[in-house]
Amino acid sequence: MCLFCKIINKEIPSEIILEDDNFIAFHDINPKAPVHILAIPKIHVESFNDVSSDTMAGMTTFMQNVAKEMDIEKSGYRIITNIGDNGGQEVKHLHFHILGGAKLRWEHLSDSNPKSFL
Ligand code: AMP
């Protein structure tokens, strides 16, 4: 069973901030911003590549509620999902990083020259 399935099953503790029948949101153990929440579907889906539009519809509403719950809805935030090797995905269970609570940086995301493909 994958790490996040164990969190869903409460076999591994986490700081849950919101949960319903289909989704769960908890604090990232290694936060990269004052607010850093992971929102995941309870169904095991490896990455965004494999998720259905039905699951994404519910995920959208759930993440909007996470933003409200964390009081970052008005101040702004960022949602990221890493996909595969180049995306830097470490945990192979679809998860969305919800980051906020401060002005976020937006800088070069790779060591390659971003203009080399133009
Ligand atoms: P990614 O690199 O997109 O796969 O992100 C995986 C995220 O899971 C990282 O930000 C980790 O800090 C986070 N993480 C790993 N283990 C745990 C855990 N037990 N509880 C909460 N977050 C975790």
Side-chain angles (χ1 to χ4, degrees):
M1 191 185 292
C2 89
L3 176 68
F4 286 175
C5 283
K6 286 182 182 164
I7 284 180
I8 292 162
N9 288 340
K10 316 280 173 17
E11 289 171 32
I12 292 180
S14 67
E15 284 185 67
I16 296 169
I17 63 118
L18 207 61
E19 179 172 11
D20 65 17
D21 287 346
N22 299 314
F23 305 100
I24 186 166
F26 52 93
H27 287 274
D28 194 295
I29 206 167
N30 183 22
K32 293 186 165 42
V35 174
H36 187 170
I37 305 298
L38 298 175
I40 67 176
K42 289 188 173 176
I43 186 172
H44 182 85
V45 174
E46 182 166 319
S47 82
F48 184 76
N49 281 337
D50 309 305
V51 71
S52 71
S53 49
D54 274 0
T55 298
M56 279 310 298
M59 191 93 235
T60 299
T61 305
F62 184 75
M63 291 194 289
Q64 289 166 343
N65 289 336
V66 169
K68 283 181 200 143
E69 179 71 24
M70 298 307 295
D71 203 23
I72 56 173
E73 188 193 15
K74 298 278 185 293
S75 53
Y77 56 99
R78 189 173 298 160
I79 294 175
I80 296 172
T81 186
N82 295 324
I83 302 151
D85 281 351
N86 275 0
Q89 183 180 6
E90 286 175 4
V91 179
K92 304 293 192 258
H93 182 127
L94 175 66
H95 52 283
F96 291 86
H97 299 259
I98 302 173
L99 299 141
K103 189 93 178 164
L104 301 173
R105 292 171 184 255
W106 183 249
E107 294 174 349
H108 287 176
L109 298 178
S110 95
D111 295 332
S112 303
N113 177 0
K115 294 189 173 166
S116 64
F117 296 104
L118 294 180

